[in-house]
Amino acid sequence: PTLQATFYGHTYDNPFMNASGVHCMTTTELDALADSAAGSFVTKSATAEAREGNPEPRYVNVDLGSINSMGLPNLGLDYYLDDAIKRQASHPDQPFVMSVASYQGFNEYVANMRKIQESDYTGLVELNLSCPNVPGKPQMAYDFEDTDKLLTEIFAFYTKPFGVKLPPYFDIMHFDKIAAVLNQFDLKFVNCINSIGNGLYIDEATDTVVIKPKGGFGGIGGEYVKPTALANVRALKQRLNPSIEIIGTGGILTGRDAYEHLLCGASMLQVGTQLEKEGLGVFERLTAELLAILEAKGYASIAEFKGMLGTLD
Ligand SMILES: CC(C)(C)CCc1c(C(=O)O)[nH]c(=O)[nH]c1=O
């Protein structure tokens, strides 16, 4: 069997990628991802200016996952644009995704996308909608009107292919609302999910939180989040126009976890926490484990079971 994955018109050797934020801060890290067994990769979410991010400890691996409040440390949009333009010229046959964020809210999102529109980068962009909006408002993706306004403003000038990275939703009405907003636009993909926001992990030895920023509150990744990730992949796949592909992210530690995201309709798969824990070898292990599942089930390709989750009706 083959793990070949077709995504926005390109066929990758396999559906695996890093999740933005893990192993993707510098050109050196991106080169290592490009040379790894991963099918593709995504860059760290870029803001207009380089950012130090929050004081450490700001990312901690724990038994069943991870908690982080990095605070968007990154080398700035110009750095990643420069790398992306060189990379697409030197490896035109190896497309990747550039992640874009905003720390100043609505206007920075627009300015960052305008800069990419005017640049020579022609590849995919992942717009991270988990970023802060104006103070007093929830993160962008939890404000449906502002998300609609933002995408309307971007699509008024942006002609290159892009998708959005979403936080998890937990209410069926929220699945309906975000899908209704997104279906208005010619998005190429939706990536579900970002970390589950504002969790709290306590160190049993010290009765203390484990990360410094935000009194210990941080985004949760790893085993903790798989049921939520699968639900968001499935719910968005069921609601979005078929032209909008899904990237499945969250709780992928084994080939079986990857297989379940594909059953829910994901085209590509991103690995964050487990990549941080295991290193780039995680991609060899995951591809081998997923391939073994296809063999055991007699599938020749992912297409034979993608989106085929059974229900009990
Ligand atoms: C949470 C934000 C800092 C607003 C965006 C960047 C980000 C971070 C981060 O840089 O703290 N961590 C995540 O798990 N997901 C993210 O999208």
Side-chain angles (χ1 to χ4, degrees), residues 104-141:
Q104 303 300 324
F106 190 101
N107 295 336
E108 184 187 333
Y109 270 121
V110 176
N112 289 347
M113 292 299 271
R114 198 179 294 282
K115 177 171 266 191
I116 300 170
Q117 174 65 23
E118 288 156 12
S119 81
D120 291 336
Y121 178 63
T122 56
L124 280 167
V125 162
E126 181 177 273
L127 189 64
N128 183 345
L129 293 182
S130 285
C131 297
N133 197 343
V134 297
K137 282 193 165 185
Q139 62 169 287
M140 180 56 71

Side-chain angles (χ1 to χ4, degrees), residues 44 68-73 128 130-132 194-195:
K44 169 65 185 173
N68 90 85
S69 186
M70 306 286 284
L72 262 174
N128 183 345
S130 285
C131 297
N194 205 320
S195 49

Side-chain angles (χ1 to χ4, degrees), residues 155 159-162 182-189 243-244:
F155 274 98
T159 61
K160 299 174 177 178
F162 80 99
L182 299 178
N183 272 330
Q184 302 170 111
F185 303 101
D186 179 23
L187 288 162
K188 302 309 176 197
F189 68 90
S243 61
I244 304 178

Side-chain angles (χ1 to χ4, degrees), residues 20-22 25 44-45 47 51 53-54 58-59 66-74 99 101-103 109 128-133 139 165 193-197 214 218-221:
S20 178
V22 180
M25 188 75 75
K44 169 65 185 173
S45 298
T47 49
R51 289 179 49 80
N54 289 333
R58 60 192 189 181
Y59 180 108
S66 65
I67 184 166
N68 90 85
S69 186
M70 306 286 284
L72 262 174
N74 74 96
S99 179
S102 158
Y103 210 72
Y109 270 121
N128 183 345
L129 293 182
S130 285
C131 297
N133 197 343
Q139 62 169 287
K165 174 78 171 282
I193 61 174
N194 205 320
S195 49
I196 295 180
K214 295 175 63 176
I220 302 296

Side-chain angles (χ1 to χ4, degrees), residues 16-68:
F16 293 104
M17 303 171 67
N18 65 303
S20 178
V22 180
H23 210 288
C24 56
M25 188 75 75
T26 65
T27 297
T28 303
E29 286 190 310
L30 293 169
D31 289 345
L33 271 172
D35 296 342
S36 79
S40 187
F41 59 91
V42 58
T43 64
K44 169 65 185 173
S45 298
T47 49
E49 304 302 326
R51 289 179 49 80
E52 286 273 307
N54 289 333
E56 296 180 340
R58 60 192 189 181
Y59 180 108
V60 170
N61 285 322
V62 296
D63 187 30
L64 299 179
S66 65
I67 184 166
N68 90 85

